[in-house]
Amino acid sequence: MIQDVYSMTRQELCDYMAALGEKPYRGRQIFKWLYAGAETFEDMTNVSKALRTKLSEHCRMELPVVQKKQVSRDGTVKFAFLLSDGEMIESVVMSYHHGNTICISTQAGCNMGCAFCASAVGGKARDLTAGEMIGQILAAQKELGLRISNVVLMGMGEPLDNLREVLKFMEIANHEEGLHIGYRHFTLSTCGLCDKIILLAEERLPITLSVSVHSPFDSERSEMMPVNKKYPLKQLISALLVYQEKTGRRISVEYALIHGKNDTPAHAATLMKLFSRLSYHVNVIPVNQAREGFVKSGANEVKAFLDCFEKQGIPATARRELGSDISAACGQLRHELRT
């Protein structure tokens, strides 16, 4: 079986070298080369010719192919990447004062079925490997000639539905000889898979957990987010309390404001009551046009909603909208098959 070297942690590469009859330290050399600019095994000049040949026979070292690149008026860049099996995924690079951020996909498509999200159309084709997640960063950095210092797992897919590969991806990206991105520079977004939130809590990683809520009422949330039927809000809060106890990290509450549906003061008051035992920040997102029937709240409605939290001393902000003119904003990434 051909091995994807980008999907291996440094320790896994060392173990793999031993399995090939090589000295384990060769794995450390190869790992370092992967993130020091090597594009082929032949670039690894301190590795013997015989081992380079062996690697080319047993392993692959491929990045996603840039199929399409779009640049927004605000400078946001969206990539459509072609994977080795023909699946297509999208990633978005945004520039902030604190550095360059990439929003990566963790699955080709998504099975969660959120009503306002374009990624849910057509369901999930498959999970991505850790290497395909790493590849989105490496390919974007190469194409744009810049270093990415922040990662949000908010693209196509539900990260916790692919938890094993996501954890491996973050370990590789965090390693000082990998991409050297600190764990505090990762944000993982979930629609609320409670069992996986508890598993993630056991890792005690200092990442930011971002939870999509969108309504504090079970009946309303279930209409928008089918996951709520399996994991209703009471169960979600219980899981988040476990997560916060284990990690000590503040929760980011994602809330897409939809005109005339979930943007009233009553919604804000109920949300505050629901999260009263947690330390949290509310991140308001005027819903982006991705699917029919969802209209974003106006500026006055957004301000009134935020004011409800600010009056109670609860941090709440409206997310800066980037890339909407190229369908690169939250909820707009699509799963496209190569034709």
Side-chain angles (χ1 to χ4, degrees):
M1 180 179 176
I2 301 297
Q3 299 291 322
D4 173 18
V5 290
Y6 285 118
S7 284
M8 294 189 199
T9 65
R10 191 171 78 153
Q11 185 57 53
E12 286 174 336
L13 272 169
C14 291
D15 294 342
Y16 185 64
M17 287 301 101
L20 289 179
E22 300 288 339
K23 297 291 185 184
Y25 77 86
R26 292 296 187 189
R28 295 195 296 272
Q29 290 179 314
I30 294 164
F31 186 83
K32 191 170 184 177
W33 273 113
L34 291 174
Y35 305 101
E39 296 186 7
T40 68
F41 294 121
E42 288 303 311
D43 293 334
M44 301 178 181
T45 53
N46 63 346
V47 175
S48 71
K49 176 72 173 176
L51 178 52
R52 280 181 272 159
T53 299
K54 190 182 292 187
L55 287 170
S56 65
E57 292 172 349
H58 293 277
C59 302
R60 61 185 174 90
M61 183 182 170
E62 299 173 353
L63 296 180
V65 176
V66 178
Q67 192 79 351
K68 187 176 182 180
K69 173 183 169 185
Q70 295 173 272
V71 182
S72 167
R73 291 187 296 269
D74 58 38
T76 297
V77 181
K78 182 172 76 169
F79 291 102
F81 287 122
L82 177 67
L83 303 180
S84 59
D85 64 351
E87 290 294 339
M88 294 284 291
I89 57 171
E90 293 186 328
S91 309
V92 179
V93 177
M94 301 154 284
S95 293
Y96 296 94
H97 68 276
H98 56 269
N100 298 302
T101 296
I102 188 167
C103 176
I104 69 163
S105 295
T106 56
Q107 297 176 316
C110 184
N111 267 347
M112 297 300 107
C114 296
F116 46 80
C117 183
S119 298
V121 176
K124 181 184 81 172
R126 66 171 176 85
D127 294 331
L128 300 188
T129 65
E132 288 169 331
M133 295 177 223
I134 287 286
Q136 293 170 65
I137 301 176
L138 291 174
Q141 288 186 149
K142 180 181 177 182
E143 179 72 21
L144 298 175
L146 49 77
R147 181 178 185 274
I148 288 168
S149 55
N150 304 279
V151 180
V152 291
L153 291 86
M154 291 186 183
M156 290 163 42
E158 162 57 59
L160 294 187
D161 191 37
N162 189 16
L163 181 57
R164 186 179 70 86
E165 291 298 309
V166 163
L167 289 174
K168 187 189 288 191
F169 155 71
M170 290 194 292
E171 179 182 346
I172 295 168
N174 171 254
H175 197 284
E176 62 182 5
E177 290 184 352
L179 293 173
H180 202 192
I181 300 173
Y183 276 123
R184 293 180 186 275
H185 294 268
F186 287 87
T187 298
L188 186 154
S189 176
T190 179
C191 65
L193 301 185
C194 295
D195 56 338
K196 301 296 180 65
I197 289 173
I198 291 172
L199 287 176
L200 179 63
E202 293 299 329
E203 301 292 327
R204 291 176 165 80
L205 298 175
I207 65 173
T208 295
L209 180 64
S210 179
V211 183
S212 296
V213 178
H214 309 317
S215 176
F217 301 110
D218 275 318
S219 58
E220 192 172 70
R221 188 169 188 259
S222 292
E223 288 178 8
M224 293 188 284
M225 303 177 68
V227 70
N228 195 73
K229 297 171 186 176
K230 183 174 182 179
Y231 299 115
L233 288 163
K234 183 178 179 180
Q235 192 170 346
L236 176 60
I237 296 301
S238 295
L240 293 177
L241 285 167
V242 171
Y243 180 85
Q244 198 155 78
E245 179 184 354
K246 297 279 188 182
T247 67
R249 302 286 290 168
R250 184 174 71 170
I251 305 296
S252 177
V253 175
E254 302 290 308
Y255 198 98
L257 280 182
I258 304 166
H259 175 68
K261 187 170 182 66
N262 67 348
D263 56 358
T264 69
H267 284 85
T270 306
L271 188 66
M272 282 186 271
K273 184 177 179 180
L274 183 67
F275 278 80
S276 60
R277 291 184 291 163
L278 287 157
S279 172
Y280 67 101
H281 165 267
V282 179
N283 191 9
V284 166
I285 315 156
V287 73
N288 291 298
Q289 185 60 47
R291 298 177 65 177
E292 295 300 321
F294 294 92
V295 178
K296 69 173 61 181
S297 300
N300 290 337
E301 294 163 316
V302 172
K303 184 179 184 305
F305 194 82
L306 290 173
D307 285 346
C308 294
F309 294 93
E310 291 169 4
K311 288 174 183 176
Q312 300 301 319
I314 297 169
T317 53
R319 180 182 293 178
R320 178 183 168 201
E321 294 185 69
L322 296 174
S324 59
D325 59 313
I326 56 170
S327 296
C330 184
Q332 293 185 318
L333 300 192
R334 294 182 182 273
H335 175 217
E336 300 173 5
L337 293 177
R338 183 176 56 173
T339 57

